[in-house]
Amino acid sequence: MTTESATTAADPAHSTSALAPFATPVFRMLWLAWLAANITMWMNDVAAAWLMTTLTTSPVLVAMVQTASTLPVFLLGLPSGALADILDRRRYFAGTQLWVALNAVVLAVLSLADALTAPLLIALTFTNGIGLAMRWPVFAAIVPDIVPRHHMPQALALNGVAMNLSRIVGPVVAGAILAATSSAWVFVLNAALAFGAFVLILRWKSKHKESALPGERFVGAMRVGWQHVMQSPRMRAVLLRIFLFFLQSTALMALLPLVAKSLHGGGPGSFTVLLACLGGGAVTAALLFPRWRARFNRDQFVRYGTLVHAVMSLIVVFSPQVWMALPAMVVAGMAWISTANSLTISAQLALPNWVRARGMSIYQMALMGGSAAGSLLWGQVAGLSNVRTAVIAAAVFGPLALLATRRVSVEGGGDEDLTPASPANLPEVAIEVAPDDGPVMVTVEYHIDPARADDFARVMQVTRRARLRQGALTWALLRDTSVPGRYVEYFVDENWVEHQRRHERFTAADIGLREQRLAFHLGEAPPKVKRYVAERSID
């Protein structure tokens, strides 16, 4: 054993164990809150999905329960991410959980009064989804703040364990209550657990990061978040992959109540045990991730996970008996979390902390957008034909989409070092500049060897994406027609405070990129940098 490996084995903080993040007390407490919150989510979804089968025989309305649950994340993802980045994350997290708890109370009261109809159930499922949409980005942003970077894959896998352990516990508890009484009491227990998760979140004593600059404005924060993600090649690849995977994989999940009914002797118990097997497979896979990651990269996880999930879906819908479908559901759960967790890790490692909640909210929008679109699409296919045909169509779609996007990589080029870094100090300001003055134009003058112009242009294209990710409104590189090798880069910030904020967003990767630009510059003096502020309008 080497000295380094001996140190790692002796130090729990550097352990590669799948359970290593539990050594952090804050992570442990918030993980329990997340587990409780997700148990309530699954209990609600199971009870709502089964209740809908008693209120209507339409496959479209049954699938619409899944759509109503996931569509709010697609619609509200970016606003919720912006709020999570600009507000105190502890208070915001608690507020979103309180919304979910109050929605659960309304659902329980109406269910006990036997006042629920199919449209009303879909509406309350949608309002519950609003709470989930507001809650998920803030939790995704919290995790990298409370665990070391080298424990990030294990922490994200444990979040997947919480999600999928809840996929077992929630449906089992809900199924037992459904078999013994009715959906109403599932909703009552759901409300109690939701308030329990709210109390756990309130116990977290977070440290809000202070800045000398005013807080970001809501609309501007959304613009910068969207712009950052769209200018990140890695994030664009991740968004495409997660959308396509959930568009495929949601068919089995959305139509599972009807699949369970079609099995010999199928009922609430069959639906529950199928969900439990799916979650059990996911939990098992999450605990094996540290060993698997030594053999497979994230692109391989995505490819193999997509193919395996498609095959297992076919086995489930062609199984005449419940016991024949259960092993396939276990493997489908392993494939599902392997793919989703690999894509989540890629997204987290592609985002700096200042925009993490916004970036992860957009990621969740793509995920839930694929899920909502898949639920609606495959529900319509099932309505026009049958459930088996819909699942077969989704299983065929997955490998075809994988083939069509085979050049898209979520790992190519390696992960950037997004550790916060300090750029060069700003020069003294000789005039009075108010925070809202602007726009602000920055020019940087380079003198390079004309023979290296092509290489310089490639580095400057990377620079363009970096400037826009930091919040610049526009960027261009201009050539001097009278002096060969003289270039002027310019970019525009919205106002003076946004210009200053961009310097707070510098990372080690940005410093490295700056060194690449400077390597082209000729002469001992650094490139000339000038800043111009738009003149205030005069009425």
Side-chain angles (χ1 to χ4, degrees), residues 398-433:
L400 290 179
L402 200 64
L403 182 63
T405 58
R406 60 189 179 278
R407 297 185 183 277
V408 176
S409 171
V410 298
E411 197 162 20
D415 297 316
E416 292 184 324
D417 184 356
L418 300 179
T419 304
S422 299
N425 292 329
L426 288 172
E428 293 293 331
V429 178
I431 62 174
E432 181 182 350
V433 183

Side-chain angles (χ1 to χ4, degrees), residues 128-394:
N128 184 68
I130 291 175
L132 302 181
M134 305 300 280
R135 183 181 69 187
W136 194 89
V138 66
F139 185 75
I142 287 169
V143 173
D145 285 342
I146 60 178
V147 298
R149 181 181 174 87
H150 57 272
H151 282 167
M152 181 92 72
Q154 294 101 309
L156 295 177
L158 287 173
N159 289 347
V161 169
M163 174 67 78
N164 288 282
L165 190 58
S166 67
R167 192 194 294 264
I168 299 172
V169 175
V172 166
V173 173
I177 297 174
L178 285 172
T181 56
S182 66
S183 300
W185 292 104
V186 178
F187 296 136
V188 170
L189 180 58
N190 181 34
L193 287 174
F195 274 105
F198 171 68
V199 172
L200 278 175
I201 295 169
L202 288 180
R203 293 182 59 192
W204 169 39
K205 305 300 181 183
S206 65
K207 293 181 179 179
H208 186 57
K209 182 181 177 182
E210 298 296 336
S211 172
L213 300 177
E216 289 185 78
R217 294 175 178 174
F218 179 61
V219 175
M222 288 196 294
R223 176 190 67 81
V224 172
W226 179 262
Q227 187 169 301
H228 182 95
V229 169
M230 291 301 102
Q231 292 299 327
S232 170
R234 174 68 58 80
M235 281 301 297
R236 291 202 305 270
V238 170
L239 295 180
L240 177 63
R241 281 277 176 243
I242 198 69
F243 178 84
L244 291 176
F245 178 67
F246 271 78
L247 184 63
Q248 166 212 340
S249 62
T250 296
L252 181 62
M253 192 63 208
L255 297 170
L256 196 59
L258 298 176
V259 172
K261 272 195 166 184
S262 68
L263 296 170
H264 180 70
S270 302
F271 178 44
T272 300
V273 75
L274 287 170
L275 274 179
C277 285
L278 192 72
V283 170
T284 302
L287 296 176
L288 294 173
F289 279 163
R291 184 183 306 172
W292 288 354
R293 287 195 189 94
R295 299 179 57 190
F296 305 109
N297 62 36
R298 294 193 290 270
D299 283 322
Q300 290 173 318
F301 269 118
V302 172
R303 285 196 296 269
Y304 299 152
T306 299
L307 294 173
V308 170
H309 190 280
V311 172
M312 293 303 107
S313 297
L314 292 176
I315 293 176
V316 170
V317 295
F318 277 103
S319 298
Q321 303 284 343
V322 174
W323 67 267
M324 297 176 66
L326 297 184
M329 290 296 292
V330 172
V331 179
M334 298 175 77
W336 179 85
I337 197 175
S338 297
T339 304
N341 181 258
S342 298
L343 292 172
T344 301
I345 292 172
S346 292
Q348 288 277 18
L349 295 179
L351 293 165
N353 188 57
W354 65 268
V355 75
R356 192 179 304 279
R358 279 166 282 186
M360 292 308 294
S361 71
I362 295 171
Y363 169 82
Q364 189 74 352
M365 284 170 62
L367 184 157
M368 290 301 189
S371 182
S375 299
L376 190 58
L377 172 62
W378 308 124
Q380 291 288 346
V381 173
L384 295 173
S385 54
N386 54 61
V387 172
R388 177 179 290 181
T389 300
V391 176
I392 292 172

Side-chain angles (χ1 to χ4, degrees), residues 436-441 473 492-496 532-535:
D436 289 333
D437 283 354
V440 177
M441 182 176 73
L473 294 174
V492 177
D493 292 320
E494 184 177 2
N495 51 41
W496 185 249
Y532 303 89
V533 180
E535 188 66 21

